[in-house]
Amino acid sequence: MGYPCSSLHCINESRATDTACGSGSLLLKAAKILGKDAVCNGFYGQEINITTYNLCRINMHLHDIEWDKFNIACEDTLTSPQHWDDEPFELIVSNPPYSIKWEGDSNPLLINDPRFAPAGVLAPKSKADLAFIMHSLSWLASKGIPLDLPKRGFHQCAVTVTNDSTLILTQIKLHRSQFPWRFRSQK
């Protein structure tokens, strides 16, 4: 059984990022499947929790990703993204905490943020789902691939931009049985 990223081995990434990287497991999985040298311009991530941020940095080093090949930032991805100068990314992997509370429309500056402005509306304060997806799509390279791991299964998003700049998003959901390491039965 292959991993979710196994179908990506044929593309040539130069940058990979995880929008809420936690301990770095998705970045490391991408490095394992694609080969760490396939991501020639580095691995990027952002994590809000300082303990997990430090764990991610150590994990990258312990898995032979050289210090100069990754840049992990400690900050809130939605309100203070740290990799503006590094985007666009050819591969975005993520398993962010989708249903968390966030500032949303209580912060009037966010509606003008280039990541959220195209929608003309912000994600509800009680659910940051739309905000995380819009953040990822806005930082995605034109031929990039976004991968998303929600709580109930795996999605691969195919993004197409038409001639009139209309964004078409397709999600492919695979059954949880295809990812036994992700969904362990609770006893």
Side-chain angles (χ1 to χ4, degrees), residues 93-182:
V93 294
S94 67
N95 183 21
Y98 283 114
S99 295
I100 63 168
K101 294 183 186 316
W102 80 301
E103 289 184 35
D105 58 10
S106 67
N107 181 343
L109 298 176
L110 288 174
I111 194 65
N112 295 319
D113 186 307
R115 299 169 299 152
F116 311 127
V121 65
L122 293 169
K125 291 181 206 175
S126 62
K127 297 189 186 293
D129 307 26
L130 178 61
F132 274 111
I133 290 169
M134 291 192 72
H135 169 83
S136 291
L137 291 177
S138 72
W139 283 23
L140 186 65
S142 61
K143 296 196 185 239
I145 296 177
L147 296 175
D148 162 55
L149 283 170
K151 292 179 183 177
R152 303 246 183 256
F154 172 78
H155 288 79
Q156 178 171 346
C157 300
V159 179
T160 306
V161 179
T162 64
N163 290 348
D164 63 354
S165 297
T166 303
L167 185 69
I168 300 171
L169 175 66
T170 306
Q171 283 193 328
I172 303 164
K173 183 170 184 177
L174 304 176
H175 191 267
R176 64 189 288 157
S177 65
Q178 294 182 330
F179 310 101
W181 75 90
R182 173 111 169 97

Side-chain angles (χ1 to χ4, degrees), residues 16 29 33 38 65 73 83 85 91 109 116 156:
K29 187 62 69 182
I33 291 167
I65 307 294
H83 298 296
D85 295 336
L91 177 62
L109 298 176
F116 311 127
Q156 178 171 346

Side-chain angles (χ1 to χ4, degrees), residues 30-142:
K32 180 178 181 180
I33 291 167
L34 300 169
K36 63 183 180 184
D37 295 330
V39 183
C40 55
N41 289 323
F43 298 88
Y44 297 81
Q46 191 161 334
E47 174 57 38
I48 195 169
N49 180 299
I50 192 155
T51 303
T52 317
Y53 153 80
N54 285 319
L55 178 60
C56 179
R57 290 174 49 81
I58 293 300
N59 272 341
M60 298 297 277
H61 181 66
L62 290 175
H63 287 86
D64 296 323
I65 307 294
E66 298 296 327
W67 290 105
D68 63 342
K69 289 298 242 178
F70 68 87
N71 182 341
I72 309 300
C74 185
E75 193 63 68
D76 185 326
T77 299
L78 297 179
T79 59
S80 186
Q82 297 297 301
H83 298 296
W84 285 106
D85 295 336
D86 304 309
E87 58 96 15
F89 295 97
E90 286 74 26
L91 177 62
I92 298 178
V93 294
S94 67
N95 183 21
Y98 283 114
S99 295
I100 63 168
K101 294 183 186 316
W102 80 301
E103 289 184 35
D105 58 10
S106 67
N107 181 343
L109 298 176
L110 288 174
I111 194 65
N112 295 319
D113 186 307
R115 299 169 299 152
F116 311 127
V121 65
L122 293 169
K125 291 181 206 175
S126 62
K127 297 189 186 293
D129 307 26
L130 178 61
F132 274 111
I133 290 169
M134 291 192 72
H135 169 83
S136 291
L137 291 177
S138 72
W139 283 23
L140 186 65
S142 61

